[in-house]
Structure formats: C-alpha cells, structure tokens
Amino acid sequence: MDLIQQAFAWLIAPTSWIGDSGIARRLSEHLVFTVVVVGVAATIALPVGVVIGHTRRGTTLVSAATGAARAMPTLGLLTLLGLGLGIGLVAPAIALIVLASPSLLAGAYAGVQSVDRQTVDAARAMGMSEPAIIRTVELPLAAPLILGGLRSATLQVVATATLAAYTSNTGLGRYIFAGLKGREYAELIGGSALIVALALLLDGIFALVQRVTLRDPHRLPVTTERHHP
Amino acid sequence: MKNTHRITSARRVRTTAAVITIGLALSGCASASDLESPSDSESQTIVVGSQDYYSNEIIAEIYAQALEAAGYDVERDLRIGQREVYVEEIENGSIDLFPEYTGPLLEFWEPDTAARLDQDVYDALVDSAPEGVRILDRSSATDQDAYTVTRGFAERYELKTIDDLTDVPEPLVLGGNSEGENRPNGPKGLKETYGVDASFAPIEDGGGPLTVKALQDGDIQLAIIYTADPSVQKNDLVALEDTRGLFLASHVVPVASEKIDAEAEKVINTVSAALTPAGLVALNAQSVDEQAPASTIAKQWLEENPVS
C-alpha cells in the first residue's frame, strides 16, 4: 500500500511532469511512437489482408505466417534487429510492426472474407469493377472486423512500446527500466499505471468508434452468417 | 556493468523476500542438522560457496579443487544467489569460503564508505569484516565496471585514462542500463570527478552485444562494461584507467570462516597470487566461448598453475 501511495504521489507531483524526462514528454513520445507504428503496420497489413480476403487466395499461407509472427518473442526480435541496425528507434519500431501485423491482417482478411458471396456476386452482376466491389461493398461490410483488428493491434503496441526504451531514450518504458534496476519503485509503478491508463484510453476510443460506425443507419446490416469456400 | 547487475539482481531478490525467507529457513534447517552430526570428518569439511554468476563459480571451483588437492574434504554450495542472501550464511558459519569482490562487499558492509582505490578499499574491507569472518589476500584479478571505448577511438585521441577524455573535441555519449544515468558512475559522476561532459543513452542489455554494437557504430563513445568480460578482448575494446577512483576498486578476494586453518589459507592465498587480471578474462572466455563447465575450467587452470 505504501508503494502505491508513493507511486500516486509521484504521479501527481508537478515536478514529475516537466522536463526532458517528465511524464508529459514521455507520455507524448509513447503515444506518437504507438500511432506511427500502428500506422505503418496498417499501411502494410490492411491492403494485403483485403486483397487476400477478396481473392480468397493465400489464406493458408497468411494464417501460418501470422501464427508464426504471433509466436515471435518481441524482445528477442528486438535484440536481433538491434544487432543489425544498432541502437535507436528503428529496431523497436520494426519489432512492433511485426507484433501488430497479425491482428491487422487477420481482421482485414477475415472481415472481407466474411462478406456474403451472394452480395459480392450481385455487385459483380451489376457490372461493378473489382476495385469498386472492394471499395463500396466489401470494405463497409468488413469495417467492424477491420476496426477490431486495429483495436487489438493498438492495444498490443501501446503496451509493448515499453520496449522502445530498451535501445533508446523514448517513451514510458524508461520509467519501468530505470525504476526496476534503480529500485525507484514509485516511478516503476507510476510508469506502469500510465501505460495502463493510455492503453485503456485508446481502447475506449476504439470502442466508441466501433459503436458509432455500427449505429450508422446508412450502413448495411452485418451478416453474421459465414460461407467458407 | 556486471557489478551493478549483480547488485541490482540482488536487490530484486530482496523484493521477493517472502520466497527467500522460506528458502533460507529450509536451507537453515538442512545445514543445522548437518552440523549437529557428531562425526569428526563432518566438522572438518570445508563448505565452499559461490555467487550465481558464472565467473564467480569458476573461482569457487578453483578454491574447492585446490583444497581437495591439499587433502581437505570439500562440500560445494555453488550458485547460491546474491550478496543479500549468502553473506548471512558466511557470517553464521554455514559457508567457510567464498570468492568475493573487494569494492562491492565493502559497500555492502559499509554503504557510506569513502574508500575508492584498491589498497584503501582492501584495508577498509579487512576492518569492516564482522566477527568470525576473515578476509584473505586479494588477487590482482579485477572484475569491475569501467568506461570502455573502441580501440579506434582510443587511438584517435590517444586515450589511456578517463582524464584524457577532457581533450576529446567531439560530444560524448555514455551508454548503459537506465539506472546508470543517476548512479555515481553515470554522467554526473563523470562531470564531478573528471570534469568530462557526456550525455546518456539507455541500452538495457547490461554491456552486452547491443552496447558493443552501439560503440562500434559510434552511436555511443563510452560504455560501462566489466573489465573481466571476454567481449572487451574479443571486440578490441579498451577500458580507460580510472585514476581518481570513480569506480570502486573490485579485486577478487576470498572470504573465509574460522574453519580455514593456516595451511588451507596458504593454499587459497597461492591461488589468489596466481590469478591475474588476464587470467580471469581467459577463464571467463572459456566459459562464454566454449561453454565449458566450471569444474573443467578450474581443473585446467590448476594444472597450469599448481598450488602445492
């Protein structure tokens, strides 16, 4: 209890928030790093997932690859990348992109694949081009699952972005590493609490976005029925 | 780095005090019943302990095998753990012989010590040892933190001591574990003791391969790495001499109980005299590079450096 109180005192002390290693700076570093990593991962993984879902080709390969990527220990990958790329933010960024990709990919291809085949065929029969089918039929229907993938990827990255501090002077992970080894437990617990709070906040935002998009009256109802080829 | 590492992991151990207390209670029971055994040979047995650190275990093995060669019965209690745990066992006589390091052990017994340089640290350590614990001769072998640079960097600016860093025109970055930033041997200590300005880059692998890579890439210029770490030699790194005692001197030193008689003491002191800094690095390298077990490494060393 004493430690929790100390951590709380550290969190509310104005001096903890200012300066080069103040909470304000660490929090924004952590947030920006998370957004950039998820952004890059989404730019790569979402189009790939959508194409796979649309063509229904390569799903076996992708599920094997994402399974393997999920099993990859991020810290091990970070050390391996760090040995090649040196210290700095690039190695942790790549390691986190690998961490985020499986959820994004799975959300995208499962979402698109779950769209009723008859709906897609109807669109095709109306003379819509394949890109138009993806854009106007499949993507809106797949949106909840894509968003779900984005949500879980963000949650994983914001929590694991702690590792950015393993090789660089970045993010809330600094409080955890420094606190752990320097026995500054108030800082350690306070830093962890901030990461939890940030993760909950981001997750809350996604929950809100998901609820709003599902409520959109112009959107077609989502089919729960799935057809497996 | 490894000194701090040992200390910090030791501290972590303290946080799991509950678990350890149970462990100690159990081991306490076991050794108590052993000691109660009336057999004469039992009481003559010398218990040799070691830290949970590969290099320390090799030294303990050398002590054990040297004593066995001299006709003593030896019981090994190796890889016990960290200082907070085993020092108590030495103080209460459950362990008779333990390889230690002058600086860190002195800091454990006297946290506010002002001694920094080799001889001062050793003298202070002998004085601070509690009743029943004896400090034998220290070895010239050291295992301590040091500022390390690449050979290229050292040659470019003709660096030998930390003092020489004041003449380096380029900005210096010191790399090490996060906690190093606020430690006495971090950038602040470097500024206070030597007047050298350096910024800090956290690298959390305790002077391991990522730190070495950062040195070689020039991302950092200084790293805190153990003097006895084989990677210093392998990667052609240079440890800068600490003329003003920023780092606590840390020589290998045997800690002994009353059970170590004059003859056993002579054997151990012979080992300490034969163990050189380069010799310790070579022992560590055998463990790291060849993955040889401590007992094999110790046996080979004793063949090359006979004690009797």
Side-chain angles (χ1 to χ4, degrees), chain A residues 81-98:
Chain A
L81 287 166
L83 287 178
L85 298 166
I87 57 167
L89 271 178
V90 181
I94 296 177
L96 290 172
I97 288 169
V98 171

PDB file of all heavy atoms in Angstrom, chain A residues 81-98:
ATOM      1  N   LEU A  81      17.305  -7.523 -34.199  1.00  0.00           N
ATOM      2  CA  LEU A  81      17.284  -6.370 -35.102  1.00  0.00           C
ATOM      3  C   LEU A  81      18.292  -5.321 -34.651  1.00  0.00           C
ATOM      4  O   LEU A  81      18.963  -4.691 -35.461  1.00  0.00           O
ATOM      5  CB  LEU A  81      15.884  -5.753 -35.144  1.00  0.00           C
ATOM      6  CG  LEU A  81      14.820  -6.548 -35.899  1.00  0.00           C
ATOM      7  CD1 LEU A  81      13.436  -6.010 -35.575  1.00  0.00           C
ATOM      8  CD2 LEU A  81      15.060  -6.473 -37.395  1.00  0.00           C
ATOM      9  N   GLY A  82      18.384  -5.143 -33.329  1.00  0.00           N
ATOM     10  CA  GLY A  82      19.306  -4.149 -32.779  1.00  0.00           C
ATOM     11  C   GLY A  82      20.743  -4.471 -33.143  1.00  0.00           C
ATOM     12  O   GLY A  82      21.545  -3.576 -33.402  1.00  0.00           O
ATOM     13  N   LEU A  83      21.071  -5.756 -33.183  1.00  0.00           N
ATOM     14  CA  LEU A  83      22.436  -6.150 -33.532  1.00  0.00           C
ATOM     15  C   LEU A  83      22.750  -5.798 -34.980  1.00  0.00           C
ATOM     16  O   LEU A  83      23.890  -5.541 -35.335  1.00  0.00           O
ATOM     17  CB  LEU A  83      22.633  -7.650 -33.298  1.00  0.00           C
ATOM     18  CG  LEU A  83      22.713  -8.061 -31.834  1.00  0.00           C
ATOM     19  CD1 LEU A  83      22.860  -9.564 -31.713  1.00  0.00           C
ATOM     20  CD2 LEU A  83      23.868  -7.363 -31.143  1.00  0.00           C
ATOM     21  N   GLY A  84      21.700  -5.790 -35.822  1.00  0.00           N
ATOM     22  CA  GLY A  84      21.919  -5.408 -37.211  1.00  0.00           C
ATOM     23  C   GLY A  84      21.815  -3.910 -37.423  1.00  0.00           C
ATOM     24  O   GLY A  84      22.597  -3.313 -38.146  1.00  0.00           O
ATOM     25  N   LEU A  85      20.865  -3.287 -36.752  1.00  0.00           N
ATOM     26  CA  LEU A  85      20.548  -1.888 -37.043  1.00  0.00           C
ATOM     27  C   LEU A  85      21.128  -0.916 -36.040  1.00  0.00           C
ATOM     28  O   LEU A  85      21.090   0.293 -36.239  1.00  0.00           O
ATOM     29  CB  LEU A  85      19.014  -1.709 -37.073  1.00  0.00           C
ATOM     30  CG  LEU A  85      18.284  -2.522 -38.141  1.00  0.00           C
ATOM     31  CD1 LEU A  85      16.790  -2.554 -37.863  1.00  0.00           C
ATOM     32  CD2 LEU A  85      18.543  -1.938 -39.512  1.00  0.00           C
ATOM     33  N   GLY A  86      21.641  -1.425 -34.931  1.00  0.00           N
ATOM     34  CA  GLY A  86      22.190  -0.527 -33.921  1.00  0.00           C
ATOM     35  C   GLY A  86      21.100  -0.006 -33.016  1.00  0.00           C
ATOM     36  O   GLY A  86      19.929  -0.352 -33.152  1.00  0.00           O
ATOM     37  N   ILE A  87      21.513   0.832 -32.043  1.00  0.00           N
ATOM     38  CA  ILE A  87      20.530   1.343 -31.107  1.00  0.00           C
ATOM     39  C   ILE A  87      19.710   2.446 -31.774  1.00  0.00           C
ATOM     40  O   ILE A  87      20.054   2.922 -32.850  1.00  0.00           O
ATOM     41  CB  ILE A  87      21.185   1.869 -29.814  1.00  0.00           C
ATOM     42  CG1 ILE A  87      22.208   2.966 -30.141  1.00  0.00           C
ATOM     43  CG2 ILE A  87      21.837   0.743 -29.052  1.00  0.00           C
ATOM     44  CD1 ILE A  87      22.667   3.742 -28.920  1.00  0.00           C
ATOM     45  N   GLY A  88      18.627   2.841 -31.150  1.00  0.00           N
ATOM     46  CA  GLY A  88      17.751   3.851 -31.725  1.00  0.00           C
ATOM     47  C   GLY A  88      16.342   3.297 -31.820  1.00  0.00           C
ATOM     48  O   GLY A  88      16.037   2.257 -31.235  1.00  0.00           O
ATOM     49  N   LEU A  89      15.504   4.002 -32.567  1.00  0.00           N
ATOM     50  CA  LEU A  89      14.088   3.643 -32.588  1.00  0.00           C
ATOM     51  C   LEU A  89      13.713   2.679 -33.711  1.00  0.00           C
ATOM     52  O   LEU A  89      12.627   2.103 -33.687  1.00  0.00           O
ATOM     53  CB  LEU A  89      13.242   4.914 -32.723  1.00  0.00           C
ATOM     54  CG  LEU A  89      12.844   5.582 -31.405  1.00  0.00           C
ATOM     55  CD1 LEU A  89      12.051   6.842 -31.674  1.00  0.00           C
ATOM     56  CD2 LEU A  89      12.032   4.617 -30.547  1.00  0.00           C
ATOM     57  N   VAL A  90      14.594   2.514 -34.698  1.00  0.00           N
ATOM     58  CA  VAL A  90      14.223   1.719 -35.869  1.00  0.00           C
ATOM     59  C   VAL A  90      13.986   0.255 -35.484  1.00  0.00           C
ATOM     60  O   VAL A  90      12.978  -0.340 -35.866  1.00  0.00           O
ATOM     61  CB  VAL A  90      15.294   1.824 -36.972  1.00  0.00           C
ATOM     62  CG1 VAL A  90      14.871   1.018 -38.191  1.00  0.00           C
ATOM     63  CG2 VAL A  90      15.500   3.279 -37.364  1.00  0.00           C
ATOM     64  N   ALA A  91      14.915  -0.310 -34.706  1.00  0.00           N
ATOM     65  CA  ALA A  91      14.777  -1.722 -34.333  1.00  0.00           C
ATOM     66  C   ALA A  91      13.477  -1.982 -33.548  1.00  0.00           C
ATOM     67  O   ALA A  91      12.714  -2.873 -33.913  1.00  0.00           O
ATOM     68  CB  ALA A  91      16.003  -2.187 -33.552  1.00  0.00           C
ATOM     69  N   PRO A  92      13.182  -1.202 -32.475  1.00  0.00           N
ATOM     70  CA  PRO A  92      11.911  -1.458 -31.791  1.00  0.00           C
ATOM     71  C   PRO A  92      10.698  -1.204 -32.682  1.00  0.00           C
ATOM     72  O   PRO A  92       9.689  -1.913 -32.573  1.00  0.00           O
ATOM     73  CB  PRO A  92      11.924  -0.495 -30.600  1.00  0.00           C
ATOM     74  CG  PRO A  92      13.088   0.384 -30.765  1.00  0.00           C
ATOM     75  CD  PRO A  92      14.030  -0.250 -31.732  1.00  0.00           C
ATOM     76  N   ALA A  93      10.787  -0.218 -33.591  1.00  0.00           N
ATOM     77  CA  ALA A  93       9.650   0.059 -34.475  1.00  0.00           C
ATOM     78  C   ALA A  93       9.354  -1.162 -35.346  1.00  0.00           C
ATOM     79  O   ALA A  93       8.207  -1.595 -35.455  1.00  0.00           O
ATOM     80  CB  ALA A  93       9.932   1.290 -35.340  1.00  0.00           C
ATOM     81  N   ILE A  94      10.395  -1.745 -35.937  1.00  0.00           N
ATOM     82  CA  ILE A  94      10.178  -2.914 -36.795  1.00  0.00           C
ATOM     83  C   ILE A  94       9.634  -4.090 -35.977  1.00  0.00           C
ATOM     84  O   ILE A  94       8.698  -4.770 -36.388  1.00  0.00           O
ATOM     85  CB  ILE A  94      11.487  -3.315 -37.521  1.00  0.00           C
ATOM     86  CG1 ILE A  94      11.906  -2.193 -38.468  1.00  0.00           C
ATOM     87  CG2 ILE A  94      11.295  -4.609 -38.310  1.00  0.00           C
ATOM     88  CD1 ILE A  94      13.204  -2.440 -39.191  1.00  0.00           C
ATOM     89  N   ALA A  95      10.221  -4.295 -34.793  1.00  0.00           N
ATOM     90  CA  ALA A  95       9.755  -5.405 -33.948  1.00  0.00           C
ATOM     91  C   ALA A  95       8.274  -5.237 -33.616  1.00  0.00           C
ATOM     92  O   ALA A  95       7.511  -6.208 -33.621  1.00  0.00           O
ATOM     93  CB  ALA A  95      10.588  -5.467 -32.675  1.00  0.00           C
ATOM     94  N   LEU A  96       7.848  -3.995 -33.359  1.00  0.00           N
ATOM     95  CA  LEU A  96       6.444  -3.757 -33.014  1.00  0.00           C
ATOM     96  C   LEU A  96       5.530  -3.861 -34.229  1.00  0.00           C
ATOM     97  O   LEU A  96       4.370  -4.258 -34.109  1.00  0.00           O
ATOM     98  CB  LEU A  96       6.286  -2.390 -32.340  1.00  0.00           C
ATOM     99  CG  LEU A  96       6.872  -2.305 -30.926  1.00  0.00           C
ATOM    100  CD1 LEU A  96       6.852  -0.882 -30.413  1.00  0.00           C
ATOM    101  CD2 LEU A  96       6.107  -3.212 -29.975  1.00  0.00           C
ATOM    102  N   ILE A  97       6.060  -3.497 -35.411  1.00  0.00           N
ATOM    103  CA  ILE A  97       5.265  -3.658 -36.634  1.00  0.00           C
ATOM    104  C   ILE A  97       4.981  -5.151 -36.849  1.00  0.00           C
ATOM    105  O   ILE A  97       3.870  -5.547 -37.191  1.00  0.00           O
ATOM    106  CB  ILE A  97       5.995  -3.039 -37.850  1.00  0.00           C
ATOM    107  CG1 ILE A  97       5.944  -1.507 -37.736  1.00  0.00           C
ATOM    108  CG2 ILE A  97       5.368  -3.491 -39.168  1.00  0.00           C
ATOM    109  CD1 ILE A  97       6.837  -0.771 -38.704  1.00  0.00           C
ATOM    110  N   VAL A  98       5.990  -5.973 -36.593  1.00  0.00           N
ATOM    111  CA  VAL A  98       5.801  -7.423 -36.692  1.00  0.00           C
ATOM    112  C   VAL A  98       4.759  -7.891 -35.674  1.00  0.00           C
ATOM    113  O   VAL A  98       3.931  -8.745 -35.954  1.00  0.00           O
ATOM    114  CB  VAL A  98       7.146  -8.168 -36.492  1.00  0.00           C
ATOM    115  CG1 VAL A  98       6.917  -9.667 -36.376  1.00  0.00           C
ATOM    116  CG2 VAL A  98       8.093  -7.858 -37.632  1.00  0.00           C
TER     117      VAL A  98
END
